[in-house]
PDB file of all heavy atoms in Angstrom:
ATOM      1  N   GLY A 246      -7.609 -13.452 -25.491  1.00 98.00           N
ATOM      2  CA  GLY A 246      -8.236 -13.893 -26.944  1.00 98.00           C
ATOM      3  C   GLY A 246      -9.483 -14.520 -26.790  1.00 98.00           C
ATOM      4  O   GLY A 246      -9.755 -15.169 -25.749  1.00 98.00           O
ATOM      5  N   ILE A 247     -10.163 -14.430 -27.876  1.00 98.00           N
ATOM      6  CA  ILE A 247     -11.452 -15.206 -28.105  1.00 98.00           C
ATOM      7  C   ILE A 247     -11.479 -15.833 -29.371  1.00 98.00           C
ATOM      8  O   ILE A 247     -11.498 -15.066 -30.470  1.00 98.00           O
ATOM      9  CB  ILE A 247     -12.691 -14.219 -27.957  1.00 98.00           C
ATOM     10  CG1 ILE A 247     -12.616 -13.432 -26.632  1.00 98.00           C
ATOM     11  CG2 ILE A 247     -14.010 -14.905 -27.931  1.00 98.00           C
ATOM     12  CD1 ILE A 247     -13.686 -12.284 -26.461  1.00 98.00           C
ATOM     13  N   ASN A 248     -11.651 -17.089 -29.494  1.00 96.00           N
ATOM     14  CA  ASN A 248     -11.547 -17.750 -30.716  1.00 96.00           C
ATOM     15  C   ASN A 248     -12.992 -18.359 -31.091  1.00 96.00           C
ATOM     16  O   ASN A 248     -13.279 -19.551 -30.631  1.00 96.00           O
ATOM     17  CB  ASN A 248     -10.652 -19.001 -30.804  1.00 96.00           C
ATOM     18  CG  ASN A 248      -9.185 -18.423 -30.502  1.00 96.00           C
ATOM     19  OD1 ASN A 248      -8.707 -17.530 -31.161  1.00 96.00           O
ATOM     20  ND2 ASN A 248      -8.348 -19.033 -29.540  1.00 96.00           N
ATOM     21  N   GLU A 249     -13.782 -17.637 -31.755  1.00 97.00           N
ATOM     22  CA  GLU A 249     -15.045 -17.965 -32.102  1.00 97.00           C
ATOM     23  C   GLU A 249     -15.654 -17.306 -33.386  1.00 97.00           C
ATOM     24  O   GLU A 249     -15.166 -16.144 -33.672  1.00 97.00           O
ATOM     25  CB  GLU A 249     -16.079 -17.815 -30.897  1.00 97.00           C
ATOM     26  CG  GLU A 249     -16.354 -16.263 -30.565  1.00 97.00           C
ATOM     27  CD  GLU A 249     -17.346 -15.632 -31.216  1.00 97.00           C
ATOM     28  OE1 GLU A 249     -18.292 -16.297 -31.792  1.00 97.00           O
ATOM     29  OE2 GLU A 249     -17.391 -14.401 -31.286  1.00 97.00           O
ATOM     30  N   ASP A 250     -16.436 -17.941 -34.123  1.00 96.00           N
ATOM     31  CA  ASP A 250     -17.153 -17.269 -35.228  1.00 96.00           C
ATOM     32  C   ASP A 250     -18.763 -17.409 -35.201  1.00 96.00           C
ATOM     33  O   ASP A 250     -19.450 -17.182 -36.148  1.00 96.00           O
ATOM     34  CB  ASP A 250     -16.563 -17.592 -36.564  1.00 96.00           C
ATOM     35  CG  ASP A 250     -16.861 -19.160 -36.900  1.00 96.00           C
ATOM     36  OD1 ASP A 250     -17.560 -19.803 -36.139  1.00 96.00           O
ATOM     37  OD2 ASP A 250     -16.404 -19.505 -37.887  1.00 96.00           O
ATOM     38  N   ALA A 262     -13.888 -16.128 -38.115  1.00 89.00           N
ATOM     39  CA  ALA A 262     -13.239 -15.209 -37.116  1.00 89.00           C
ATOM     40  C   ALA A 262     -12.624 -15.952 -35.941  1.00 89.00           C
ATOM     41  O   ALA A 262     -12.324 -15.350 -34.900  1.00 89.00           O
ATOM     42  CB  ALA A 262     -14.345 -14.211 -36.560  1.00 89.00           C
ATOM     43  N   THR A 263     -12.268 -17.107 -36.137  1.00 92.00           N
ATOM     44  CA  THR A 263     -11.728 -17.901 -35.146  1.00 92.00           C
ATOM     45  C   THR A 263     -10.161 -17.871 -34.995  1.00 92.00           C
ATOM     46  O   THR A 263      -9.512 -18.231 -34.051  1.00 92.00           O
ATOM     47  CB  THR A 263     -12.045 -19.386 -35.237  1.00 92.00           C
ATOM     48  OG1 THR A 263     -11.699 -19.803 -36.644  1.00 92.00           O
ATOM     49  CG2 THR A 263     -13.473 -19.689 -35.107  1.00 92.00           C
ATOM     50  N   LEU A 264      -9.454 -17.085 -35.888  1.00 94.00           N
ATOM     51  CA  LEU A 264      -7.945 -17.348 -36.097  1.00 94.00           C
ATOM     52  C   LEU A 264      -7.367 -15.803 -35.843  1.00 94.00           C
ATOM     53  O   LEU A 264      -6.250 -15.658 -36.043  1.00 94.00           O
ATOM     54  CB  LEU A 264      -7.477 -17.875 -37.282  1.00 94.00           C
ATOM     55  CG  LEU A 264      -7.860 -19.330 -37.422  1.00 94.00           C
ATOM     56  CD1 LEU A 264      -7.375 -19.851 -38.806  1.00 94.00           C
ATOM     57  CD2 LEU A 264      -7.193 -20.082 -36.285  1.00 94.00           C
ATOM     58  N   TRP A 266      -6.926 -14.174 -33.165  1.00 97.00           N
ATOM     59  CA  TRP A 266      -6.091 -14.186 -31.962  1.00 97.00           C
ATOM     60  C   TRP A 266      -4.710 -14.798 -32.282  1.00 97.00           C
ATOM     61  O   TRP A 266      -3.697 -14.261 -31.903  1.00 97.00           O
ATOM     62  CB  TRP A 266      -6.896 -14.871 -30.784  1.00 97.00           C
ATOM     63  CG  TRP A 266      -5.936 -15.148 -29.613  1.00 97.00           C
ATOM     64  CD1 TRP A 266      -5.809 -16.485 -29.127  1.00 97.00           C
ATOM     65  CD2 TRP A 266      -5.373 -14.423 -28.656  1.00 97.00           C
ATOM     66  NE1 TRP A 266      -4.934 -16.362 -27.928  1.00 97.00           N
ATOM     67  CE2 TRP A 266      -4.805 -15.069 -27.681  1.00 97.00           C
ATOM     68  CE3 TRP A 266      -5.370 -12.929 -28.668  1.00 97.00           C
ATOM     69  CZ2 TRP A 266      -4.293 -14.460 -26.622  1.00 97.00           C
ATOM     70  CZ3 TRP A 266      -4.731 -12.212 -27.544  1.00 97.00           C
ATOM     71  CH2 TRP A 266      -4.152 -13.049 -26.471  1.00 97.00           C
ATOM     72  N   GLN A 267      -4.770 -15.898 -33.054  1.00 97.00           N
ATOM     73  CA  GLN A 267      -3.475 -16.540 -33.434  1.00 97.00           C
ATOM     74  C   GLN A 267      -2.688 -15.574 -34.314  1.00 97.00           C
ATOM     75  O   GLN A 267      -1.450 -15.482 -34.268  1.00 97.00           O
ATOM     76  CB  GLN A 267      -3.770 -17.836 -34.071  1.00 97.00           C
ATOM     77  CG  GLN A 267      -2.557 -18.647 -34.595  1.00 97.00           C
ATOM     78  CD  GLN A 267      -2.906 -19.929 -35.279  1.00 97.00           C
ATOM     79  OE1 GLN A 267      -3.925 -20.530 -35.132  1.00 97.00           O
ATOM     80  NE2 GLN A 267      -1.829 -20.399 -36.055  1.00 97.00           N
ATOM     81  N   GLU A 292      -6.850 -17.234 -23.225  1.00 98.00           N
ATOM     82  CA  GLU A 292      -8.093 -17.126 -23.998  1.00 98.00           C
ATOM     83  C   GLU A 292      -9.285 -17.649 -23.448  1.00 98.00           C
ATOM     84  O   GLU A 292      -9.216 -18.629 -22.585  1.00 98.00           O
ATOM     85  CB  GLU A 292      -7.825 -17.957 -25.376  1.00 98.00           C
ATOM     86  CG  GLU A 292      -7.591 -19.429 -25.261  1.00 98.00           C
ATOM     87  CD  GLU A 292      -7.355 -20.024 -26.484  1.00 98.00           C
ATOM     88  OE1 GLU A 292      -6.055 -19.784 -27.095  1.00 98.00           O
ATOM     89  OE2 GLU A 292      -8.164 -20.728 -27.137  1.00 98.00           O
ATOM     90  N   VAL A 293     -10.351 -17.147 -23.793  1.00 98.00           N
ATOM     91  CA  VAL A 293     -11.636 -17.551 -23.326  1.00 98.00           C
ATOM     92  C   VAL A 293     -11.947 -18.851 -24.073  1.00 98.00           C
ATOM     93  O   VAL A 293     -11.938 -18.851 -25.232  1.00 98.00           O
ATOM     94  CB  VAL A 293     -12.801 -16.544 -23.677  1.00 98.00           C
ATOM     95  CG1 VAL A 293     -14.254 -17.200 -23.261  1.00 98.00           C
ATOM     96  CG2 VAL A 293     -12.440 -15.203 -22.926  1.00 98.00           C
ATOM     97  N   CYS A 295     -13.748 -21.437 -25.974  1.00 97.00           N
ATOM     98  CA  CYS A 295     -15.052 -21.558 -26.788  1.00 97.00           C
ATOM     99  C   CYS A 295     -15.000 -22.831 -27.633  1.00 97.00           C
ATOM    100  O   CYS A 295     -15.953 -23.084 -28.547  1.00 97.00           O
ATOM    101  CB  CYS A 295     -15.213 -20.328 -27.658  1.00 97.00           C
ATOM    102  SG  CYS A 295     -15.286 -18.793 -26.891  1.00 97.00           S
ATOM    103  N   GLN A 299     -18.034 -24.025 -30.284  1.00 97.00           N
ATOM    104  CA  GLN A 299     -17.622 -23.989 -31.733  1.00 97.00           C
ATOM    105  C   GLN A 299     -17.994 -25.415 -32.399  1.00 97.00           C
ATOM    106  O   GLN A 299     -18.473 -25.517 -33.444  1.00 97.00           O
ATOM    107  CB  GLN A 299     -16.119 -23.691 -31.996  1.00 97.00           C
ATOM    108  CG  GLN A 299     -15.687 -22.246 -31.932  1.00 97.00           C
ATOM    109  CD  GLN A 299     -16.369 -21.463 -33.100  1.00 97.00           C
ATOM    110  OE1 GLN A 299     -16.951 -20.415 -32.864  1.00 97.00           O
ATOM    111  NE2 GLN A 299     -15.992 -21.852 -34.209  1.00 97.00           N
TER     112      GLN A 299
END
Side-chain angles (χ1 to χ4, degrees):
I247 307 175
N248 299 315
E249 63 86 23
D250 65 1
T263 53
L264 294 175
W266 172 241
Q267 181 182 338
E292 63 186 75
V293 179
C295 299
Q299 279 292 127

